[in-house]
Amino acid sequence: MDYAVQDFTDLYIDGKWRPGASGDRFDVINPATEEVLASVASAELADADAALNAAEDAFAEWAARTPRQRSEVLRKAWELMTARLDEFAKLITLENGKAGNDARGEATYAAEFFRWFAEEAVRADGLITHAPSSGARILVQHKPAGIAVLVTPWNYPAAMGTRKIAPALAAGCPVIIKPAGETPLTMLALMPLLEEAGVPKGLVNVLPTKHSGKLVDHLLHDARVRVVSFTGSTGVGRKLLHSAADQVLKPAMELGGNAPLIVFDDADLDTAVEGAMLAKMRNLGEACTAANRFYIHESVADAFAEKFTAAMAKLKLGNGLEPDVDVGPLVNRGTQQKVAQFVQDAVEKGAKITLGGKIPDGKGFFYPPTVMTDVPETADCVHDEIFGPVAALQTFSDTKDVIRRANDTEYGLVAYVFTEDMKRGLQVCEKLDYGMVGLNRGLVSDPAAPFGGTKQSGLGREGGHEGMLEFMETQYISASW
């Protein structure tokens, strides 16, 4: 596949490419150049209905296939995507902006979900046991839930789609995908690959649109939809949960984060800096898992800040298509301005900039790697996701106090802890109110692990065995023989 951005820009419904019902389209912008990449069809409610009809028609045949048959299709999708990583990485960079290495890492990660759930598809284990009182047999099995609506974000245009598509198909469910308006091209480009892998027509449908709220709400109020899976902000997640409540849908919500990164006095600083760079700068910091609040023990704060700032200073800012670039542009002007405002607010409240901190001149939505020290608790960036390449450093002296500060947020997605004392590390991990913790690691995402948070960071899990169960209903049969 030699992909050009103009190749797949219509809606994908029932295995066919078609314009939207109104003929309306919207532009996708290259964030590095601010130039138009492509004009994409915008779905309307009539298109949503067509996708629902296609998914309904495809459901019974796919659900009736054996787990091994579904598994083989997913395995083939992994093989095909793995063979085309460079093409997908380039497309990700073009519409999202991330640097080449980051984009190739995402493409690899995205493909891996097909392989993982190809293996999980055959493991929807049930149970047979005796009821202790009645003596009846209890038979438990897991069945595909039905049509799933998948709403994906712009920060991982490939991986956040495959992380939902793969378990849904493994479970036996058809899907309707609404990709982010900033980055629909990668998901559209995935459709010919899925066709080649053997995915039947109608099983996967893609509806880019200018009217996201209206379109998704319409889908969620159709009685044929049984699952909604969303990755994005907590604010939008709350609205979708309200809509999902009307039909009592199964919700899988991966929402916002405000990740603390704690470096204790006995931490190996080289390991801590390496992990902090990964936790902060993977995907330019445009990730719900990005380290947002750095708590450094006061006895090593200066040494850590010096090493970390030096590492950040080595990163090259530029167009992600250039081979030596480490940090590409942010996704759009609004994100760039929001990041700049976080820095300005922190400085006005007493923070000190040791690196970066200024929007560069020229085209593109760039913001440089930035380090701030002495960031006060009152700074806005301590309480909300920065979603950019800015590290906000604070200090602590007491373990109980830093745990309290780390937990003092409505979010609970991921935290990071660095210490050479494994007993203390594990004790701290257990006291952190987060769905995931990286202990001496700056990366927690893995298709084999149950990804998800506590509190207002979401409901349910993606990845692991749990990810497939989000798209299944448990049925219990009471029997005697």
Side-chain angles (χ1 to χ4, degrees):
M1 179 180 74
D2 184 14
Y3 181 78
V5 294
Q6 297 84 4
D7 287 348
F8 309 110
T9 58
D10 281 343
L11 312 181
Y12 185 75
I13 300 173
D14 201 21
K16 302 181 183 67
W17 298 98
R18 53 186 276 182
S22 69
D24 201 7
R25 306 183 75 84
F26 63 93
D27 291 338
V28 178
I29 306 298
N30 182 334
T33 64
E34 301 185 44
E35 297 173 349
V36 175
L37 275 174
S39 176
V40 175
S42 180
E44 305 292 341
L45 300 189
D47 302 307
D49 290 336
L52 286 163
N53 292 336
E56 182 182 30
D57 291 343
F59 180 29
E61 189 275 333
W62 181 252
R65 291 195 187 189
T66 66
R68 179 63 69 197
Q69 289 172 327
R70 297 198 294 265
S71 171
E72 292 300 331
V73 172
L74 291 170
R75 176 76 183 191
K76 183 64 174 180
W78 170 73
E79 292 173 354
L80 293 171
M81 192 168 185
T82 299
R84 301 167 185 175
L85 292 179
D86 289 339
E87 295 166 48
F88 277 99
K90 182 179 179 181
L91 183 54
I92 290 167
T93 295
L94 284 169
E95 65 175 346
N96 170 273
K98 67 182 69 176
N101 286 339
D102 242 347
R104 200 174 198 281
E106 181 190 341
T108 303
Y109 179 51
E112 188 63 24
F113 283 104
F114 288 127
R115 178 162 66 166
W116 173 256
F117 283 107
E119 297 166 350
E120 287 302 295
V122 299
R123 299 193 181 103
D125 298 332
L127 174 71
I128 300 178
T129 187
H130 260 109
S133 298
S134 68
R137 265 63 168 189
I138 295 173
L139 286 74
V140 179
Q141 63 177 340
H142 304 291
K143 303 170 66 175
I147 297 173
V149 172
L150 316 179
V151 184
T152 60
W154 50 257
N155 57 341
Y156 286 93
M160 295 302 97
T162 61
R163 191 162 78 175
K164 300 176 188 297
I165 296 169
L169 267 55
C173 297
V175 300
I176 299 171
I177 308 159
K178 203 294 293 178
E182 292 87 350
T183 57
L185 300 175
T186 302
M187 192 49 50
L188 291 168
L190 184 65
M191 294 306 106
L193 183 150
L194 293 183
E195 286 183 12
E196 188 177 347
V199 172
K201 69 174 186 177
L203 195 68
V204 180
N205 306 274
V206 185
L207 301 178
T209 183
K210 295 195 299 185
H211 315 291
S212 295
K214 183 178 179 181
L215 187 92
V216 173
D217 187 71
H218 180 75
L219 289 168
L220 299 191
H221 282 90
D222 190 290
R224 292 170 289 182
V225 172
R226 297 310 313 144
V227 180
V228 55
S229 179
F230 169 71
T231 297
S233 72
T234 295
V236 174
R238 292 189 190 107
K239 293 178 181 178
L240 292 182
L241 284 170
H242 277 287
S243 294
D246 291 339
Q247 293 291 122
V248 196
L249 304 183
K250 282 175 64 74
M253 298 277 154
E254 195 269 282
L255 307 178
N258 185 6
L261 186 147
I262 304 169
V263 179
F264 283 96
D265 53 346
D266 67 338
D268 180 303
L269 289 190
D270 290 334
T271 298
V273 168
E274 181 182 356
M277 288 293 294
L278 188 55
K280 176 71 265 184
M281 294 305 294
R282 181 171 176 251
N283 205 49
L284 293 77
E286 291 179 310
C288 53
T289 55
N292 206 64
R293 297 169 289 152
F294 286 65
Y295 297 115
I296 317 300
H297 193 276
E298 60 185 12
S299 67
V300 296
D302 291 343
F304 176 88
E306 182 180 351
K307 285 176 175 283
F308 181 70
T309 301
M312 291 279 277
K314 292 178 181 178
L315 300 178
K316 181 177 179 180
L317 185 69
N319 190 319
L321 293 178
E322 297 174 9
D324 57 344
V325 164
D326 302 297
V327 180
L330 298 170
V331 73
N332 54 36
R333 182 74 67 196
T335 301
Q336 180 196 47
Q337 294 296 326
K338 183 178 179 181
V339 170
Q341 180 56 42
F342 275 130
V343 173
Q344 181 181 338
D345 170 78
V347 170
E348 290 174 352
K349 292 173 179 174
K352 299 181 179 63
I353 294 177
T354 62
L355 181 72
K358 182 180 179 182
I359 295 176
D361 296 331
K363 287 280 190 181
F365 310 129
F366 294 97
Y367 199 89
T370 297
V371 180
M372 299 187 294
T373 60
D374 300 329
V375 177
E377 284 290 330
T378 56
D380 291 343
C381 64
V382 174
H383 306 285
D384 199 1
E385 288 183 289
I386 299 171
F387 239 64
V390 175
L393 275 58
Q394 300 177 281
T395 62
F396 75 95
S397 58
D398 178 73
T399 299
K400 288 184 179 180
D401 179 61
V402 77
I403 292 172
R404 178 193 62 78
R405 290 162 66 187
N407 286 334
D408 187 19
T409 173
E410 67 181 9
Y411 302 106
L413 186 60
V414 62
Y416 304 93
V417 176
F418 291 86
T419 175
E420 290 296 282
D421 184 339
M422 290 301 291
K423 178 180 179 180
R424 173 165 66 178
L426 290 170
Q427 288 175 339
V428 170
C429 288
E430 289 186 346
K431 292 175 181 176
L432 291 170
D433 193 2
Y434 289 83
M436 303 175 290
V437 182
L439 180 55
N440 294 322
R441 285 180 55 82
L443 177 65
V444 298
S445 301
D446 192 305
F451 185 106
T454 63
K455 298 186 284 187
Q456 296 199 38
S457 284
L459 300 167
R461 293 295 183 267
E462 294 187 310
H465 185 66
E466 294 86 345
M468 184 173 67
L469 295 180
E470 297 291 343
F471 296 93
M472 306 192 86
E473 294 284 7
T474 299
Q475 183 183 54
Y476 143 60
I477 302 171
S478 179
S480 297
W481 61 77

